[in-house]
């Protein structure tokens, strides 16, 4: 079989590897738009902060891919899929035939349609080229504004501050990471990052980027202008679905797939951030890798189904432990809060019908796995509720 994977991010690369292992007699091609070898996108923040090198981020050296029999085609953006001919067409007009095709095109970062958004000095945060642009800008020192105080925006802010820039985060909500943290944990995080020299403007909205030939600042809706020679937009992602849509495949927010990650065309699968399963899109690497495994199994003829699990996210900033999982902000949930101001430790557990549905851990995240297991298993916590916030050692004693 000719197996073609489009997109050499974590999902596409994992799928290509598994296909080569499961179907060694097949010809596996991995075509990616980026020029780099497959790398750890999640670790880009370490690269920005100076805690990793570009070479250190490479997950699949060429020798490894070749050893598996995978033909790797970097810098090969696919422009179209010709389903009638079972071929993908590159932007250079080359045609790559397939018997099975896997779309793993991921997402692209959103550029806010603001006046000045296209000025030099305004960058997104998604790939190695974006980090290179930030590092070049940071080398000159000066001030940076990060628009968006979500997980990515904060990691960008910390990285740029570590590189010596004066950083302001502009965020639309009153506390950072509002999708993962409640206001109390958000306030602790704001204070901690403030001690590292990061300023916050929130709630605040950006109305434009100032500058004639390059960015010089960010104008807020209250009229303030925050000076900046570098503006990083970290305001969200959009699944890359153009190829699938133009090929006539059903697309909602992302490419519609069944439990085996198969699109409406039985010869085409979609995995990772470009796929939509049961009306939901993912934005994290762990489920993207699980979907890659499922697609490879399905293509090899093994019956399988992807079952989504509770999502968890951690802020990857050294010296600041922040983790959250599940549903943390539903009104009416029963909450248990444990708070130690002197030690800067905070835990908020959300319960529904006697089961843990969400958790926020700040300051000490050692018990994250324990709470994630409870959320995923939907096990009743009624028998040990009084000791639940103290972690697994106390729960075991109570059981
Ligand atoms: C800075 C940063 C930090 C992150 N931190 C975390 C974290 O801590 N935890 C976590 O779970 N997740 C994190 N994420 C998100 C995580 O990286 C993504 O969930 C994951 O990369 C999704 O994998 P994917 O393979 O589906 O898509 P992607 O990683 O987006 O890969 C898709 C690839 O397809 C290529 N492509 C697109 N269109 C085409 C085309 N037409 N032809 C050829 N190639 C194409 C793209 O260039 C890209 O290389 C982070 C993301 C960033 C940017």
């Amino acid at each position: 079989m000719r197996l073609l994977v489009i997109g050499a991010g974590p999902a596409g690369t994992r799928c290509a590897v598994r296909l080569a292992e499961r179907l060694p007699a097949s010809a596996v091609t991995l075509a990616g738009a980026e020029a780099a070898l497959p790398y750890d996108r999640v670790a880009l923040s370490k690269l920005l902060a100076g805690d990793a090198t570009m070479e250190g981020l490479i997950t699949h050296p060429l020798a490894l891919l070749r050893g598996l029999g995978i033909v790797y085609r970097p810098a090969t953006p696919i422009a179209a899929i010709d389903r009638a001919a079972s071929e993908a067409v590159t932007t250079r007009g080359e045609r790559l035939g397939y018997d099975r095709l896997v779309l793993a095109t991921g997402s692209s970062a959103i550029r806010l349609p603001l006046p000045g958004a296209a000025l030099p000095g305004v960058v997104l945060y998604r790939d190695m080229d974006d980090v290179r642009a930030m590092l070049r800008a940071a080398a000159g020192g000066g001030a940076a504004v990060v628009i968006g105080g979500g997980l990515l925006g904060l990691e960008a802010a910390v990285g740029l501050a570590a590189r010596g820039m004066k950083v302001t985060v502009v965020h639309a909500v009153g506390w950072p990471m509002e999708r993962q943290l409640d206001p109390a944990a958000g306030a602790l995080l704001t204070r901690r990052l403030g001690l590292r020299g990061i300023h916050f403007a929130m709630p605040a909205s950006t109305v434009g980027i100032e500058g004639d030939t390059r960015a010089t600042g960010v104008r807020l809706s209250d009229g303030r202008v925050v000076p900046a020679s570098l503006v990083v937009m970290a305001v969200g992602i959009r699944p890359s679905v153009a190829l699938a849509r133009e090929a006539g495949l059903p697309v909602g927010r992302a490419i519609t797939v069944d439990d085996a990650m198969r699109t409406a065309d039985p010869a085409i699968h979609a995995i990772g951030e470009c796929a939509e399963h049961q009306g939901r899109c993912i934005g994290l690497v762990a489920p993207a890798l699980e979907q890659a495994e499922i697609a490879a199994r399905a293509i090899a003829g093994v019956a399988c189904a992807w079952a989504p699990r509770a999502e968890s996210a951690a802020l990857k900033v050294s010296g600041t432990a922040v983790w959250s999982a599940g549903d943390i902000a539903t009104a009416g949930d029963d909450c248990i809060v444990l708070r130690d101001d002197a030690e800067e430790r905070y835990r908020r557990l959300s319960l529904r019908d006697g089961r843990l549905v969400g958790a926020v851990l700040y300051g000490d995240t050692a018990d994250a796995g324990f709470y994630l297991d409870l959320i995923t298993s939907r096990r009743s916590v009624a028998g040990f509720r009084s000791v639940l916030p103290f972690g697994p050692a106390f729960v075991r004693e109570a059981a």
Side-chain angles (χ1 to χ4, degrees):
M1 271 205 289
R2 292 165 308 162
L3 306 174
L4 175 62
V5 180
I6 302 178
T13 306
R14 170 68 63 90
C15 191
V17 167
R18 291 293 181 260
L19 287 170
E21 287 169 352
R22 284 181 178 274
L23 299 163
S26 298
V28 181
T29 301
L30 175 62
E34 293 183 68
L37 283 160
Y39 63 88
D40 182 358
R41 192 177 307 287
V42 167
L44 283 175
S45 297
K46 282 191 191 165
L47 179 62
L48 182 62
D51 297 332
T53 60
M54 287 197 190
E55 300 71 45
L57 257 57
I58 302 298
T59 52
H60 294 74
L62 204 52
L64 176 74
L65 295 169
R66 280 200 186 131
L68 285 160
I70 297 170
V71 175
Y72 180 52
R73 306 278 307 255
T76 306
I78 302 298
I81 301 164
D82 181 344
R83 284 169 60 201
S86 293
E87 288 173 341
V89 188
T90 71
T91 47
R92 292 184 288 269
E94 191 184 348
R95 290 184 160 257
L96 307 175
Y98 65 81
D99 297 303
R100 292 284 184 283
L101 173 65
V102 179
L103 295 171
T105 47
S107 301
S108 51
I110 292 173
R111 187 178 287 268
L112 291 173
L114 296 170
L119 281 170
V122 181
V123 301
L124 304 173
Y125 191 19
R126 183 70 196 176
D127 59 28
M128 237 182 212
D129 287 343
D130 296 329
V131 176
R132 282 197 186 97
M134 284 191 239
L135 291 178
R136 274 195 302 273
V145 165
V146 177
I147 305 177
L151 196 132
L152 246 61
L154 296 186
E155 291 185 1
V158 170
L160 293 170
R163 296 276 177 180
M165 295 195 92
K166 180 177 181 305
V167 183
T168 303
V169 176
V170 177
H171 189 49
V173 184
W175 70 97
M177 285 178 66
E178 78 284 357
R179 280 167 50 202
Q180 289 90 11
L181 304 182
D182 64 314
L188 287 167
L189 181 58
T190 306
R191 204 180 57 160
R192 171 65 31 201
L193 294 181
L195 295 174
R196 294 169 86 141
I198 294 169
H199 302 268
F200 284 86
M202 55 181 187
S205 60
T206 312
V207 292
I209 314 294
E210 301 282 301
D212 295 327
T213 53
R214 53 175 304 116
T216 57
V218 166
R219 180 174 292 276
L220 306 182
S221 57
D222 61 11
R224 265 183 299 165
V225 174
V226 187
S229 54
L230 173 68
V231 178
V232 181
M233 286 193 186
V235 292
I237 54 171
R238 190 175 289 128
S240 301
V241 296
L243 281 180
R245 183 175 282 132
E246 280 154 30
L249 295 171
V251 171
R253 204 173 111 68
I255 307 163
T256 311
V257 293
D258 66 10
D259 288 353
M261 309 313 295
R262 200 179 293 113
T263 68
D265 180 337
I268 306 181
H269 284 69
I271 56 172
E273 286 188 356
C274 70
E276 180 177 319
H277 175 262
Q278 293 178 0
R280 292 187 66 177
C281 302
I282 58 155
L284 296 170
V285 76
L289 296 176
E290 287 172 9
Q291 293 181 351
E293 305 273 353
I294 294 288
R297 258 187 261 170
I299 290 169
V302 181
C304 54
W306 183 63
R309 286 190 274 177
E311 291 198 342
S312 67
L315 184 68
K316 304 183 300 298
V317 168
S318 60
T320 309
V322 182
W323 177 87
S324 117
D327 197 349
I328 59 128
T330 303
D333 280 345
D334 180 14
C335 286
I336 304 176
V337 173
L338 183 69
R339 177 176 188 140
D340 181 337
D341 287 340
E343 294 283 327
E344 273 188 78
R345 288 189 183 174
Y346 176 83
R347 274 179 188 193
R348 181 179 188 273
L349 307 176
S350 302
L351 288 83
R352 207 176 297 153
D353 303 326
R355 293 180 169 82
L356 187 65
V357 293
V360 174
L361 306 186
Y362 183 93
D364 174 7
T365 57
D367 295 336
F370 166 71
Y371 292 117
L372 185 61
D373 283 348
L374 280 178
I375 294 170
T376 306
S377 68
R378 306 196 75 253
R379 177 180 158 204
S380 168
V381 299
F384 48 85
R385 180 192 162 110
S386 60
V387 291
L388 186 61
F390 304 110
F394 286 81
V395 168
R396 268 194 298 274
E397 210 163 283

